[in-house]
Amino acid sequence: MKKTEPTHIKHKRLLVINDHGIFGGGTENRIRTLIIKFLETSFFEEIHVLQRFSSDTEKLSTLPESIKERLFIHTLHDESCFFRIMQLIQKYSIDVVQCHNLTAISPLVILAARIKKRPVIFYAHDYWPLCGYRSFIHPHSFKESQLCQTNHSFGQAHCLSLKAQVKYFFWKKILNLCTIGIATGKNMVDIYETNAVLRKRWNITTPWINPLFFEQKKNKSIRTKTKQRVIPHTILFVGSLLPFKGAFVAVQALKYIVKKFPHAQLLLAGSEQEYNSPCRQ
């Protein structure tokens, strides 16, 4: 029997939606690493990115030359995100839509993609969509005194007004229009499914981290020294010191931890973008 040649599969075009595009914090680092991998291996012919906040031109110049001609950045300004997604899908023949953080960009982009009959992948980097106060209603008005604890019983966010609860109810309905969800672990999947989000439609993927994004700095003044020659219990917090990241919770918890483990120490690892902020002090 004559051996047939393998059929060439024409890869598709991907549209990635994220508030800060591919430059920002840990989420954006993971998105950027994934996009570079996709384009270098020709998994996709083109990748388009829709962002709310503009990327720095200098940062775009750091991308590999081999992918620049196939990567397209679109910035959402004051226009409707719903109609912008419809236009992008139509103009660039987008085949797959992948949503990441949707706070500054409305979840209506999911509805627009589904109306266009495109599969939508939702990547759960954290639990923002599960908090009615912090997610799609007032994502950046979080304060320490407004930290939600167990106010989400029976699927209701009791920290919201009645009007906001109705809005949040419909946001979750739109989120459930996604074709599939990607989470970083089983615990995250369990929490999302408990909150009736994408039940039985999750895949678990280990976060992709590029070690080149991290820089080790030598600073002897910040090293913790103990009087006794013991190995202290160490707690590591990795993330920005912006209030909604929750570093202050670890700081507050430390005063209880040292009662049982006197030599315990807390190490904070993150960006220096809020170096002079009250939270850092």
Side-chain angles (χ1 to χ4, degrees), residues 19 23 42 234 261:
D19 294 344
F23 294 102
S42 297
T234 303
F261 304 100

Side-chain angles (χ1 to χ4, degrees), residues 124-269:
H125 292 275
D126 49 35
Y127 304 107
W128 275 40
L130 302 182
C131 178
Y133 188 86
R134 284 180 52 205
S135 59
F136 312 123
I137 312 299
H138 300 294
H140 299 291
S141 60
F142 172 76
K143 295 180 181 178
E144 185 173 329
S145 60
Q146 297 165 333
L147 179 65
C148 289
Q149 297 290 341
T150 56
N151 293 328
H152 294 266
S153 58
F154 305 106
Q156 294 183 352
H158 301 293
C159 49
L160 299 177
S161 65
L162 180 60
K163 181 179 179 180
Q165 286 194 40
V166 173
K167 185 178 181 181
Y168 180 57
F169 172 80
F170 285 106
W171 276 170
K172 286 180 68 175
K173 288 290 185 182
I174 292 175
L175 191 59
N176 273 307
L177 293 176
C178 291
T179 311
I180 197 169
I182 297 177
T184 57
K186 186 178 182 302
N187 183 60
M188 182 173 286
V189 172
D190 291 342
I191 293 176
Y192 268 93
E193 292 197 337
T194 299
N195 283 268
V197 176
L198 296 175
R199 283 177 173 166
K200 297 182 179 180
R201 283 183 283 165
W202 287 96
N203 280 340
I204 297 176
T205 302
T206 303
W208 47 90
I209 301 295
N210 188 339
L212 297 179
F213 295 152
F214 297 88
E215 180 182 357
Q216 184 176 0
K217 296 182 179 181
K218 295 182 179 180
N219 189 345
K220 295 182 179 179
S221 63
I222 64 173
R223 292 181 179 176
T224 304
K225 296 182 178 180
T226 57
K227 294 182 180 180
Q228 300 181 16
R229 292 182 176 276
V230 297
I231 300 176
H233 292 82
T234 303
I235 302 168
L236 175 64
F237 177 90
V238 182
S240 167
L241 296 184
L242 294 170
F244 59 76
K245 293 292 185 179
F248 69 89
V249 178
V251 173
Q252 292 175 351
L254 190 63
K255 63 183 180 182
Y256 300 103
I257 295 172
V258 294
K259 292 180 180 179
K260 186 172 182 180
F261 304 100
H263 301 291
Q265 59 183 8
L266 171 63
L267 303 182
L268 303 176

Side-chain angles (χ1 to χ4, degrees), residues 12-17 21-23 28 31-40 44-51 55-57 59-74 92 94:
K12 301 181 179 181
R13 292 176 176 86
L14 172 68
L15 173 61
V16 174
I17 305 174
I22 59 175
F23 294 102
E28 289 70 39
I31 296 173
R32 187 166 71 253
T33 302
L34 179 66
I35 286 176
I36 292 173
K37 188 71 172 178
F38 276 158
L39 292 176
E40 287 183 339
F44 284 100
E45 289 182 346
E46 294 178 2
I47 293 182
H48 295 257
V49 178
L50 179 64
Q51 60 186 12
S55 296
D56 200 347
T57 307
K59 292 181 179 179
L60 288 172
S61 64
T62 63
L63 296 172
E65 290 293 335
S66 60
I67 73 168
K68 289 181 180 179
E69 293 184 356
R70 294 181 292 139
L71 177 62
F72 303 89
I73 308 294
H74 310 275
Y92 298 103
I94 300 297

